[in-house]
Structures are given as structure tokens and as C-alpha cells.
């Protein structure tokens, strides 16, 4: 696991303490529980982990605590996207020093008129600023959330410029044609998908696996997708339960709270608002995940 991210990785939700800080002990326990379900690794502070709500110091302190709790560094990736390139550099240097290698970088967001050349310049500035051969970066493409897409040609250029330092790309666009375009433009990149319904077809087309959020609450169903079992319709129905609500992240945490019996999972950071009752949603999810997966 010292190369690119491959296999079954989870974009972990971030549990919070009553004061709004990260509950690192619960996060480490959540990771261990996922590992027991066949998960290879966890990515912390991505989209599902409310990553943009946490600063550099908070992310680094959480990694330190999770490592002390016994989670192996090679099984941890971290979201390293910030509007400020200097923050991405500072975070990456810090976590590399703690033994991590996998950092996911968003293109700098907010400016929707940035040029492809500007996007390449931004990624290059991060990699050059970190200047560490241990880095195994993944570009993070989620334009419907970040507002800024990663052009396929730029992904290919960065791989050519930096080789193994740009190890992968996570495509969370939900557009399988976009996944195919990345594969065609940059076949040496390990491309994972975030859209769980695309997992089986992406792996069949040479994809590296998945980094996904639904595995927080339905890891067995995601594993069945990875194994190529005929559960795509069930997976899409499970996804719809979560995404067809006002707030995906609050809904996912509400289901986790019911599954674990721990109301602490309901806590979110502003501007999100907690969803008070996930019981009905959990029952719907159970109808899809409890039947035996053939």
C-alpha cells in the first residue's frame, strides 16, 4: 500500500465531540470496524468527512491521535484540499512526517473561471512545494461540489511531469464517461471511483477500486460491488436513500447514529445542521442490505 490507493477504501465520516472537536478515539474505532468488514483503508477529511470544515492543525492532530490509537499509517489517506496552496503544502509535509503517503488534492476552488493551465500550475505548486519523494498524491475530481473540474489533459500532464508522485485520481463526478476519459488520457494513473453504482464497471474497465462514502453505512454492499456481484440496482437504491435528502452528510451520520446506538454521530459542523432521527432511513437501508448477497 505504499504506491497508489487501490482496492476498497472508505471516505470516512468524522465523529465530533460535544465541543465540536474531532472525536479521534471514535474515529479510530470506526476505522477498525470498517477494516473488519474487508476495507483496505480510510481517507479522512474528504467530502464525506466534512474536510473543508477543518484546518491544517486539526487534521494533523487527528492523524497523530488515530496513529497512536493503532491505525496503521499505510491504511490512512487524507484530504489535502484548501483554497490556499500554502495550506496544502503545510498539511502534506506534516502528514508525510507522520508516515502517511496518500494525500488527495482538490484543485483550488472558489474561482470558477480558472483556466486549465492555472489548475496545472496549482497542483504543480503543491507538489514542488512539498518536494518529498514519499508523496503519493491523488487528484480529486468532484466538480459538482468543488465547482472546479480537473481537465483530463491536465491529469495526464501531471502524471508525465511527476511520475509516481502523482499516483492516482479519484473520480467522484458520477459520470462514467468521465472515468473512461481519464483512463484513456492517463492510463498509468490509478483511478478510483466515488460513485458506488459505477464500481463494478469501473474495475472491469481497469479502474483501481473505490474511495466511497456509502461504505460507512453499507460496507457489505460496497464489497459485493467490488467482487462483481449483481447488486447494482440495490446499491443505487441505497444511494438514493441517502442522497435524496436535504443533506447527504447529515443523513449518513444520522444512519450511523442508529446503527451504532451512539447519538454522538449526529453532530456536524456548521453550516450543516444535524438530522435528529435516522431510524426510518436505516430501516429502508436494511431492506436493501440485510438480504443475503448471492
Amino acid at each position: 500500500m505504499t504506491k497508489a490507493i487501490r482496492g476498497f477504501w472508505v471516505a470516512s465520516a468524522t465523529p465530533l465531540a460535544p465541543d465540536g472537536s474531532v472525536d479521534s478515539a471514535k474515529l479510530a474505532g470506526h476505522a477498525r470496524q470498517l477494516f473488519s468488514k474487508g476495507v483496505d483503508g480510510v481517507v479522512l477529511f474528504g467530502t464525506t468527512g466534512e474536510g473543508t470544515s477543518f484546518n491544517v492543525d486539526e487534521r494533523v492532530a487527528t492523524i497523530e491521535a488515530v496513529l497512536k490509537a493503532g491505525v496503521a499509517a499505510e491504511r490512512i489517506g487524507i484530504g489535502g484540499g484548501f483554497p490556499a496552496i500554502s495550506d496544502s503544502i503545510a498539511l502534506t509535509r506534516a502528514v508525510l512526517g507522520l508516515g502517511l503517503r496518500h494525500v488527495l488534492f482538490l484543485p483550488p476552488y472558489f474561482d470558477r473561471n480558472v483556466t486549465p493551465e492555472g489548475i496545472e500550475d496549482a497542483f504543480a505548486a503543491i507538489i514542488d512545494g512539498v518536494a518529498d519523494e514519499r508523496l503519493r498524491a491523488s487528484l480529486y475530481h468532484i466538480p459538482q461540489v468543488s465547482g472546479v473540474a480537473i481537465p483530463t489533459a491536465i491529469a495526464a500532464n501531471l502524471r508525465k511531469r511527476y511520475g509516481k508522485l502523482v499516483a492516482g485520481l479519484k473520480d467522484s463526478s458520477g459520470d462514467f464517461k468521465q472515468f473512461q476519459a481519464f483512463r484513456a488520457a492517463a492510463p498509468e494513473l490509478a483511478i478510483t471511483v466515488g460513485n458506488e453504482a459505477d464500481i463494478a464497471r469501473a474495475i472491469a474497465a481497469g479502474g483501481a477500486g473505490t474511495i466511497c462514502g456509502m461504505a460507512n453505512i453499507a460496507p457489505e454492499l460496497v464489497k459485493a460491488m467490488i467482487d462483481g456481484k449483481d447488486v447494482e440496482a440495490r446499491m443505487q437504491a441505497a444511494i438514493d436513500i441517502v442522497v435524496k435528502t436535504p443533506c447527504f452528510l447529515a443523513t449518513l451520520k444520522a444512519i450511523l447514529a442508529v446503527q451504532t446506538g451512539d447519538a454522538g454521530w449526529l453532530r456536524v459542523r456548521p453550516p450543516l445542521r444535524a438530522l435528529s432521527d435516522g431510524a426510518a432511513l436505516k430501516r429502508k437501508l436494511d431492506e436493501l442490505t440485510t438480504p443475503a448477497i448471492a
Side-chain angles (χ1 to χ4, degrees):
M1 293 188 185
T2 58
K3 297 181 181 179
I5 290 177
R6 293 183 179 275
F8 183 9
W9 285 61
V10 178
S12 178
T14 305
L16 302 178
D19 65 357
S21 63
V22 179
D23 188 335
S24 299
K26 188 182 296 183
L27 180 56
H30 182 54
R32 287 191 292 269
Q33 177 66 16
L34 291 170
F35 297 155
S36 74
K37 302 291 186 179
V39 169
D40 296 311
V42 291
V43 172
L44 309 183
F45 300 115
T47 302
T48 306
E50 301 170 69
T52 55
S53 294
F54 297 88
N55 63 33
V56 172
D57 290 343
E58 289 174 311
R59 298 189 207 192
V60 173
T62 299
I63 293 296
E64 290 174 335
V66 169
L67 290 171
K68 287 180 181 178
V71 179
E74 62 266 23
R75 303 186 82 168
I76 304 173
I78 187 167
F82 296 91
I85 288 170
S86 57
D87 284 339
S88 292
I89 293 170
L91 175 77
T92 303
R93 286 177 172 171
V95 299
L96 289 174
L98 295 172
L100 275 65
R101 287 191 172 215
H102 301 302
V103 185
L104 279 70
F105 296 116
L106 288 164
Y109 44 92
F110 183 78
D111 184 353
R112 303 301 196 263
N113 296 315
V114 66
T115 65
E117 294 78 12
I119 292 172
E120 183 171 352
D121 289 346
F123 283 128
I126 295 169
I127 297 166
D128 291 339
V130 172
D132 193 320
E133 288 293 317
R134 294 174 293 181
L135 176 63
R136 298 294 179 267
S138 289
L139 310 178
Y140 186 14
H141 180 73
I142 185 167
Q144 70 275 24
V145 176
S146 69
V148 180
I150 300 174
T152 53
I154 298 307
N157 288 348
L158 288 164
R159 174 66 185 193
K160 289 176 183 177
R161 287 178 66 175
Y162 293 103
K164 64 185 179 181
L165 297 185
V166 180
L169 182 146
K170 180 187 177 185
D171 176 25
S172 289
S173 66
D175 179 355
F176 191 66
K177 290 182 179 179
Q178 179 64 69
F179 166 84
Q180 292 173 312
F182 281 128
R183 283 284 299 147
E188 292 184 344
L189 283 176
I191 302 177
T192 54
V193 290
N195 181 28
E196 294 85 355
D198 285 335
I199 291 171
R201 65 175 64 93
I203 291 174
T210 187
I211 307 170
C212 65
M214 283 295 293
N216 286 278
I217 56 175
E220 295 89 351
L221 194 54
V222 175
K223 184 66 164 57
M225 291 291 296
I226 293 171
D227 293 341
K229 295 179 180 178
D230 186 16
V231 294
E232 182 178 336
R234 284 165 65 176
M235 175 57 78
Q236 186 60 61
I239 294 168
D240 289 345
I241 289 171
V242 179
V243 301
K244 292 184 177 180
T245 61
C247 180
F248 161 76
L249 299 180
T251 298
L252 187 145
K253 280 190 160 183
I255 294 172
L256 268 173
V258 177
Q259 287 179 334
T260 62
D262 182 352
W265 273 109
L266 293 172
R267 301 185 187 106
V268 293
R269 278 198 169 183
L272 302 184
R273 300 292 299 273
L275 181 67
S276 60
D277 183 12
L281 295 168
K282 177 185 177 295
R283 285 194 295 271
K284 293 180 181 179
L285 186 66
D286 286 346
E287 293 174 0
L288 298 165
T289 58
T290 299
I293 298 173

